[in-house]
Amino acid sequence: SEAKLKKILDNTDIDSLRERATPRKGTALSTYKINRIKAMSNSNYSLSEIANALGISTSTVSKYMKGVN
C-alpha cells in the first residue's frame, strides 16, 4: 500500500537507495579479486568455489579466467 511504502521510504537512507537503484558505470573487478581468481584457478578450485569465495557470479569468474576484461 502507499502508506506502507511511505513508511519504508521515511526510514531509508535515500543516498544508499539511489546508489543501489542506479546502474553501475563500471563492472571491472579489483586487482585483488582478479589475482585471487588466477591463484584459486591455479589451485584447481572450481568456478563455483571461486565465485562463492569472492562473492561474484560464475560467469564473471569465467570471463576473467579467459582474460576478457
Side-chain angles (χ1 to χ4, degrees):
S1 75
E2 189 174 327
K4 189 163 191 124
L5 177 59
K6 181 170 175 20
K7 186 176 179 181
I8 291 169
L9 290 174
D10 286 344
N11 293 304
T12 300
D13 176 16
I14 295 300
D15 291 329
S16 175
L17 179 62
R18 279 191 188 107
E19 183 179 324
R20 292 172 187 264
T22 304
R24 292 186 182 126
K25 291 181 182 173
T27 57
L29 291 181
S30 67
T31 302
Y32 170 79
K33 284 190 177 184
I34 294 169
N35 290 335
R36 288 291 296 148
I37 289 170
K38 291 175 185 175
M40 291 178 79
S41 176
N42 290 338
S43 295
N44 296 318
Y45 283 88
S46 70
L47 286 175
S48 306
E49 291 171 324
I50 298 170
N52 288 336
L54 298 176
I56 58 178
S57 70
T58 54
S59 61
T60 300
V61 173
S62 179
K63 176 178 131 178
Y64 280 90
M65 285 176 63
K66 292 177 184 174
V68 178
N69 297 333

